[in-house]
Amino acid sequence: MLPYVVLSALLPLLAFAQDGGISGPTSSAQAAGYSCDPKQCKLPNCNCASTSPPGGLQPSDVPQFIVFTADDAVQSYTLDSVNQFLAQRKNPNGCSIKMTYYTSLNYTNYTLVTDWYVAGNEIADHTMTHVGTPPADEVNGNLIALNALAGIPLSEIKGFRAPFLNYSVDTLKMLAQAQFTYDSSAAASIPVTDPDSDAYWPYTLDNGMANNCLTVPGTCQGQPKLPGFWEIPMYAFFDDRGVDGPHLMDPWLDTANGGSTVNDTATLEYMQKTFTAHYNGNRQPIGLYTHPIHLSTTYPGVNAPKSTIDMINAFLDWAQKQPNVWIVSSIQLLEWVRNPVPISQLNNFAPLKCTAPAIDASQHICNGIPQNEAGLLSHCAFSDFPFYTCYGCPSVQPSPANPNPSQDNSTGQARHRISANCSTPFWDPIAGKCLCTDNSCTFTDLSRPIGPNGANLTGGDTGSSFANGSASPSTTAYIPFNGAAPPPLLPYGAWPAIIIGCIGALLGTYGTVSRL
Ligand SMILES: *[C@@H]1O[C@H](CO)[C@@H](O)[C@H](O)[C@H]1NC(C)=O
Ligand SMILES: *[C@@H]1O[C@H](CO)[C@@H](O)[C@H](O)[C@H]1NC(C)=O
Ligand SMILES: *[C@@H]1O[C@H](CO)[C@@H](O)[C@H](O)[C@H]1NC(C)=O
Ligand SMILES: *[C@@H]1O[C@H](CO)[C@@H](O)[C@H](O)[C@H]1NC(C)=O
Ligand SMILES: *[C@@H]1O[C@H](CO)[C@@H](O)[C@H](O)[C@H]1NC(C)=O
Ligand SMILES: *[C@@H]1O[C@H](CO)[C@@H](O)[C@H](O)[C@H]1NC(C)=O
Ligand SMILES: *[C@@H]1O[C@H](CO)[C@@H](O)[C@H](O)[C@H]1NC(C)=O
Ligand SMILES: *[C@@H]1O[C@H](CO)[C@@H](O)[C@H](O)[C@H]1NC(C)=O
């Protein structure tokens, strides 16, 4: 429940920065005018906006979630970029990390969407052509095209993020009507240490919105009422200026503490400080909300600073050394909020488990698994952004007016779009049949019992080692399941503090890649 504090004056109304950043508080208790009765609004399908953990759990029983998301086009460059942060990591149950890709379609390579989804990641909607306050055809056309050309089951596309984080009250209504499960476009813009923090755990809109009340007209004060539809706030980091120094998306591209140049050391410091405030408080999630193209090392002409990449990995190394820290997709977070089991039961919590499709590696089938699909992809050679797909090239590029054009049959036999009752790795789009027809062949569980970082680490001394620029280990080191040493922490000298002109150089070089 929210404290019903009425502020004597509204906090200043501060607009979104152009890339979906924020520059100050986007809500206040008075602007929210929010009330919700937890006796009426109960999990799993109703949750009041609250800074306290769901289900009445004590913070000590609650995992600290780090939500990892990427926005825009899915390409080899952007997946390489995400992989440099996640591929080497595991969660405490020994499973590899899943994340959410808010996908827009311009410049997207559809087969890589299939691959990323089949690897266990969440594919969510970010409009077809990256427009703010999107019309319905941009949002729903994305579902149709992702289903037709990437084989993502419609029922699995559950989330939405607005390009530029620019949504309206109508956007939220439209999403609920199209049976999305959640939106994740609103900012949590006030630190968790502030009694009026807007860092709510994910909540349903049964009683309207409680975030961005100062910036999105027609929301809050009980509106819009969308029962069962969730908002997953995006949790800002705060630099030394506190509430006046928020950093929401790609914080590593911002200057910290009002400085004039990007300083990775300062960024790391405030990211750790904000994380610790969440961790030692009510354990609201924290998020790394990325536009991965900015950190690509493979896109021609983009040279992301190695120091920034190393800094982000240092942050994740540091966070993962602390007990009960999980890096998750938006939908994994939401599954836990809907059914908030204490950390002692996480070992058996299905949404965090790792499952792999039980498919014979020798099967030759275009299914999103690189070893199975080799040689089977169609190349759709459109001039502005060519792409590959398992599902047959469309005769024209998909667009909001025509998200699922008929197939171009001149290049061979028409392929079959995924059947509503088959899951992606089992669908053979060439034969048009499902390889799995009963439960015995679907997915095998590869999870391991919750590991030593959860059960044993105290994490007590991890707060100071980076601030001091040293990599001094805590007394009990993180021991991954495979027994391998954790990735080495960075020596101070490995990431020089100043990256002059980084953003400008990036902006100038990737004109053919979706910007935001
Ligand atoms: C597109 O996907 C194909 C098949 O996986 C891959 O060979 C190619 O490098 C990808 N290109 C981009 C730009 O993503
Ligand atoms: C997206 O692609 C379409 C089709 O090529 C093009 O008309 C449109 O301008 C593109 N939009 C953006 C934002 O790049
Ligand atoms: C959001 O989009 C609308 C319509 O496209 C535009 O008028 C408005 O200025 C945008 N708001 C922000 C904060 O970018
Ligand atoms: C970068 O930030 C660190 C930590 O706040 C600070 O000690 C250092 O002086 C900064 N470097 C520059 C060049 O401002
Ligand atoms: C290609 O073949 C399919 C199935 O035979 C058909 O439905 C579709 O209309 C054809 N597309 C074109 C462009 O002829
Ligand atoms: C899926 O549906 C089709 C047609 O409705 C049916 O022929 C097929 O047996 C079903 N497959 C499974 C796995 O249920
Ligand atoms: C970890 O904790 C468990 C239970 O608290 C204990 O039995 C075990 O010995 C500890 N392991 C280490 C390496 O300290
Ligand atoms: C940094 O580390 C050195 C050596 O371990 C120690 O003497 C010093 O007090 C530390 N400084 C801070 C600010 O923690």
Side-chain angles (χ1 to χ4, degrees):
M1 286 261 283
L2 282 175
Y4 300 118
V5 178
V6 177
L7 299 181
S8 55
L10 281 179
L11 292 163
L13 189 147
L14 293 152
F16 287 108
Q18 60 130 16
D19 67 345
I22 53 171
S23 54
T26 60
S27 201
S28 72
Q30 189 182 59
Y34 183 81
S35 72
C36 178
D37 179 358
K39 292 197 185 69
Q40 305 287 320
C41 176
K42 289 185 173 160
L43 295 172
N45 294 322
C46 191
N47 195 37
C48 293
S50 171
T51 55
S52 297
L57 290 181
Q58 293 303 309
S60 57
D61 282 331
V62 169
Q64 176 65 54
F65 290 112
I66 301 176
V67 181
F68 195 107
T69 72
D71 289 7
D72 303 346
V74 174
Q75 302 173 300
S76 58
Y77 319 116
T78 61
L79 296 187
D80 289 348
S81 176
V82 171
N83 275 328
Q84 65 194 337
F85 305 113
L86 300 186
Q88 72 276 29
R89 298 181 189 281
K90 296 226 187 306
N91 270 324
N93 60 354
C95 297
S96 53
I97 309 287
K98 313 294 182 231
M99 55 77 74
T100 303
Y101 214 115
Y102 293 95
T103 308
S104 57
L105 299 184
N106 277 28
Y107 311 105
T108 278
N109 194 352
Y110 286 80
T111 188
L112 295 183
V113 182
T114 316
D115 294 4
W116 200 241
Y117 169 75
V118 168
N121 299 288
E122 181 188 5
I123 300 300
D125 191 338
H126 195 53
T127 76
M128 292 187 79
T129 73
H130 202 274
V131 291
T133 52
D137 60 352
E138 281 277 355
V139 175
N140 298 336
N142 205 42
L143 301 180
I144 293 165
L146 285 171
N147 178 254
L149 295 172
I152 313 300
L154 288 171
S155 61
E156 292 296 303
I157 307 172
K158 296 176 175 168
F160 178 80
R161 173 167 294 156
F164 313 103
L165 309 184
N166 184 346
Y167 66 91
S168 69
V169 67
D170 289 336
T171 312
L172 298 172
K173 290 177 181 169
M174 173 176 71
L175 293 171
Q177 194 181 15
Q179 293 182 351
F180 281 85
T181 304
Y182 74 90
D183 169 72
S184 186
S185 309
S189 63
I190 304 171
V192 293
T193 45
D194 187 313
D196 290 329
S197 176
D198 59 355
Y200 306 121
W201 281 85
Y203 57 96
T204 59
L205 302 195
D206 291 62
N207 298 284
M209 280 287 278
N211 290 89
N212 282 0
C213 298
L214 294 167
T215 54
V216 183
T219 61
C220 307
Q221 307 291 337
Q223 295 301 320
K225 284 189 175 40
L226 302 171
F229 179 74
W230 292 80
E231 177 61 32
I232 303 180
M234 299 172 70
Y235 304 90
F237 291 99
F238 298 91
D239 67 24
D240 291 350
R241 296 168 296 170
V243 69
D244 296 321
H247 300 278
L248 193 57
M249 299 201 74
D250 312 301
W252 36 84
L253 302 183
D254 298 348
T255 60
N257 310 325
S260 53
T261 54
V262 171
N263 179 339
D264 287 326
T265 312
T267 306
L268 177 59
E269 279 177 13
Y270 77 66
M271 286 172 62
Q272 290 178 322
K273 204 173 80 179
T274 307
F275 176 93
T276 301
H278 284 233
Y279 190 85
N280 292 342
N282 281 330
R283 300 225 165 149
Q284 291 99 324
I286 206 147
L288 296 190
Y289 312 115
T290 75
H291 291 104
I293 195 71
H294 292 291
L295 298 167
S296 170
T297 56
T298 51
Y299 187 71
V302 173
N303 282 307
K306 183 174 185 309
S307 61
T308 302
I309 293 164
D310 290 348
M311 183 278 288
I312 297 166
N313 271 321
F315 171 77
L316 290 171
D317 290 348
W318 169 86
Q320 284 200 293
K321 283 176 68 183
Q322 306 184 51
N324 303 309
V325 172
W326 293 70
I327 305 174
V328 295
S329 64
S330 301
I331 199 71
Q332 284 180 308
L333 166 66
L334 195 54
E335 296 283 5
W336 184 85
V337 170
R338 288 164 56 99
N339 180 15
V341 299
I343 50 182
S344 58
Q345 293 170 30
L346 278 183
N347 189 30
N348 290 317
F349 188 62
L352 293 176
K353 285 189 170 180
C354 34
T355 57
I359 291 259
D360 187 339
S362 66
Q363 285 273 357
H364 204 43
I365 163 181
C366 206
N367 65 349
I369 299 176
Q371 72 215 21
N372 295 125
E373 72 188 7
L376 296 177
L377 300 171
S378 309
H379 180 220
C380 313
F382 296 107
S383 57
D384 45 358
F385 46 103
F387 57 81
Y388 291 78
T389 174
C390 282
Y391 299 89
C393 291
S395 46
V396 293
Q397 268 179 214
S399 64
N402 187 10
N404 184 12
S406 65
Q407 271 187 67
D408 174 2
N409 298 335
S410 64
T411 53
Q413 176 206 351
R415 295 195 176 188
H416 301 267
R417 269 68 197 265
I418 190 167
S419 154
N421 60 6
C422 191
S423 77
T424 311
F426 297 98
W427 180 247
D428 181 345
I430 296 172
K433 67 175 191 204
C434 194
L435 266 55
C436 178
T437 50
D438 65 51
N439 290 337
S440 67
C441 57
T442 49
F443 292 85
T444 48
D445 185 3
L446 305 173
S447 333
R448 306 276 304 270
I450 298 288
N453 64 334
N456 295 60
L457 267 187
T458 65
D461 63 345
T462 47
S464 62
S465 54
F466 284 99
N468 204 356
S470 84
S472 66
S474 49
T475 44
T476 41
Y478 172 69
I479 306 161
F481 276 99
N482 59 16
L489 304 179
L490 287 160
Y492 185 70
W495 34 285
I498 310 166
I499 313 159
I500 296 165
C502 138
I503 302 171
L506 283 170
L507 290 183
T509 46
Y510 59 86
T512 60
V513 179
S514 178
R515 161 72 179 89
L516 297 166

